[in-house]
Amino acid sequence: MQVDTLIVGGGIAGLWLLAELRSQGVNALLVSDELGKGQTIASQGIIHGGTKYALTGKLTGATLAIGDMPRLWRAALNGESAVDLSRVNILTESQLLWTSGGIGSRMTGFFASKAMKSRMDAVPRDAYPELFRHAEFHGGLYRLDEPVLDVPSLLATLREQLDDALLQVDVQRSGLQPVGDVYRYQAVLPDGSELAIDAGQIILTAGAGNEALLASTSLSQREFPGMQRRPLQMVLVRGDLPMIYAHALGMSDKPRATITSHRDAEGQTVWYIGGQPAEQGVGKPAAEVIAATQRELADLLPWMDVSGMKWGTWAVDRAEGGQPDGSRPDQPVFYHHANVTVAWPTKLAFAPMLSARLQSALSMAKSGAKPVASGLPSPPVATSIWNV
Ligand SMILES: Cc1cc2nc3c(=O)[nH]c(=O)nc-3n(C[C@H](O)[C@H](O)[C@H](O)COP(=O)(O)OP(=O)(O)OC[C@H]3O[C@@H](n4cnc5c(N)ncnc54)[C@H](O)[C@@H]3O)c2cc1C
């Protein structure tokens, strides 16, 4: 098979790029196992505008880079861009941020900062969600310009639109092979049949899977400096809970907890909790992480009764372009050699920026040829974390 561009990996990075390339007449094909498996399906779906990175009161590179992402996503959600997300379920238009009582001195700069004032509005008391209408709540509540999306519906929408350019492969047995100065993708389909795919550009957006794809080639550290993993152990609480989407701030410049709410297949609410509990829980037994999160919630929301809830955890690695000190990259990262590019978006929210940068950096043929995967097996959307 011959295509203009082959994308390897069907998370948000690959799917967003595929949608844009297709709209421009690039004959692009995406190969993957399950769509979003790994990080995208495990993400909280927050389209960050950078507030979380500005908690010190300083505008860092990360805050500036991500600031425009909610606007780009909103255009797609309104059906006004090449990536049509008008059928995606938006969980909330704006994420909340709450402080619990007195805030630390490090936070004062954040609330005083002019740049932040334009990004968040104080919620008037009479507009508080039920959860915060309690005599014991003495903190402040703010609304951020950050929508939260239902990620399974995001993946399903993209799958529906792009189905004829999606090909399911056995990722363990498929990989890159050198052919002269360039690379070919040797695919093994689920039924064991083989397909050699030649492409002007091969773009690896396989998340953590990029590491194994690169390792199977002779491409060295010099050409591709490598990947880093930053693990998390997320916490899930299931039961009769209010639907909230909020960062809880404490004395530090990192959220004490970031809570998003989802419905499982039985219609029960699941709180999916990231932030410090997930960062500090890495490598610990689930019971210990759950107990620490229960203490944290009891401190943050003491009036809430969480008895009778079902608790669980989900361990997952964030996969990113390697940084010398292992810290989070400020922006998407990609490296190019021969006809191979390897890319990590760093955040779900950054998918539009990664796609735009890849298109301006790489010369891609636009043969306008028809999609080639119709009739071949198509990758399903990965199972939601709250239904596992
Ligand atoms: C717990 C958690 C919460 C997060 N929350 C947010 C958030 O709220 N907002 C935000 O902006 N970011 C968030 N992120 C970050 C965000 O999820 C990631 O940056 C983004 O999803 C990465 O997308 P990706 O397409 O690069 O990789 P992935 O989503 O990991 O997708 C990789 C794809 O490649 C496929 N694949 C793997 N190996 C191969 C192979 N060898 N061949 C072919 N295909 C392969 C996989 O099946 C999958 O389809 C979160 C991350 C985590 C872990």
Side-chain angles (χ1 to χ4, degrees):
M1 187 184 280
Q2 173 78 45
V3 293
D4 296 339
T5 294
L6 177 70
I7 300 170
V8 183
I12 192 61
L15 291 168
W16 192 291
L17 177 65
L18 178 67
E20 290 200 337
L21 294 183
R22 290 280 308 277
S23 75
Q24 288 161 28
V26 176
N27 180 16
L29 176 75
L30 185 151
V31 291
S32 196
D33 46 357
E34 292 169 24
L35 300 180
K37 187 172 156 189
Q39 299 165 88
T40 302
I41 199 73
S43 86
Q44 291 188 282
I46 304 166
I47 306 304
H48 294 285
T51 314
K52 171 169 109 159
Y53 306 139
L55 297 180
T56 53
K58 293 197 189 88
L59 279 187
T60 59
T63 326
L64 292 170
I66 210 163
D68 201 30
M69 293 305 116
R71 184 185 65 80
L72 296 178
W73 279 83
R74 283 216 161 89
L77 291 163
N78 292 335
E80 294 159 0
S81 81
V83 183
D84 181 359
L85 301 184
S86 54
R87 293 176 68 182
V88 172
N89 181 13
I90 303 171
L91 295 174
T92 181
E93 286 290 347
S94 42
Q95 169 92 341
L96 297 172
L97 180 148
W98 95 83
T99 59
S100 24
I103 49 163
S105 56
R106 296 176 71 186
M107 303 304 308
T108 320
F110 167 72
F111 285 100
S113 124
K114 207 169 144 203
M116 279 308 113
K117 280 188 183 145
S118 65
R119 288 165 187 243
M120 51 192 246
D121 299 315
V123 180
R125 274 203 170 259
D126 57 4
Y128 276 13
E130 188 72 32
L131 181 64
F132 298 101
R133 289 189 194 186
H134 196 280
E136 280 186 61
F137 180 58
H138 303 299
L141 192 61
Y142 302 83
R143 186 171 287 119
L144 310 179
D145 174 29
E146 299 185 349
V148 184
L149 307 185
D150 174 47
V151 171
S153 86
L154 168 66
L155 291 165
T157 300
L158 287 165
R159 179 178 194 264
E160 202 178 294
Q161 280 167 33
L162 301 168
D163 197 40
D164 55 0
L166 300 175
L167 175 64
Q168 188 180 20
V169 294
D170 177 341
V171 299
Q172 305 301 333
R173 295 163 67 200
S174 306
L176 297 174
Q177 278 178 3
V179 181
D181 293 340
V182 295
Y183 285 82
R184 159 182 291 171
Y185 185 78
Q186 191 66 38
V188 178
L189 306 192
D191 66 1
S193 57
E194 294 192 20
L195 184 65
I197 306 175
D198 288 314
Q201 300 286 356
I202 300 180
I203 303 177
L204 310 181
T205 51
N210 280 344
E211 200 169 48
L213 280 165
L214 289 181
S216 68
T217 70
S218 56
L219 298 168
S220 71
Q221 278 276 319
R222 188 169 53 81
E223 283 116 8
F224 289 112
M227 185 188 98
Q228 67 185 25
R229 291 171 192 261
R230 288 190 308 123
L232 290 171
Q233 187 162 185
M234 303 290 284
V235 177
L236 295 97
V237 196
R238 200 178 304 258
D240 185 13
L241 289 158
M243 303 293 280
I244 66 157
Y245 308 90
H247 299 293
L249 285 195
M251 307 294 268
S252 117
D253 57 10
K254 292 224 169 99
R256 268 176 84 172
T258 297
I259 304 172
T260 50
S261 306
H262 311 268
R263 297 248 191 242
D264 68 11
E266 268 123 49
Q268 276 223 300
T269 306
V270 180
W271 273 13
Y272 192 41
I273 307 179
Q276 280 181 16
E279 305 252 0
Q280 291 166 359
V282 172
K284 294 183 184 160
E288 206 178 301
V289 185
I290 290 168
T293 310
Q294 287 171 335
R295 285 194 297 276
E296 192 69 345
L297 282 186
D299 196 41
L300 284 167
L301 303 165
W303 56 91
M304 229 187 95
D305 180 13
V306 289
S307 57
M309 303 284 161
K310 287 194 194 127
W311 294 77
T313 68
W314 185 258
V316 55
D317 288 347
R318 288 165 292 185
E320 300 161 346
Q323 302 299 295
D325 59 357
S327 62
R328 182 195 62 244
D330 278 351
Q331 300 187 21
V333 173
F334 63 90
Y335 305 108
H336 174 78
H337 179 77
N339 64 334
V340 179
T341 302
V342 59
W344 296 270
T346 306
K347 298 296 293 179
L348 173 93
F350 270 137
M353 182 188 278
L354 175 63
S355 174
R357 290 195 177 167
L358 287 169
Q359 290 173 71
S360 65
L362 305 174
S363 92
M364 290 191 221
K366 293 182 184 172
S367 66
K370 289 271 174 259
V372 280
S374 350
L376 293 171
S378 175
V381 171
T383 310
S384 314
I385 301 308
W386 28 97
N387 288 331
V388 171

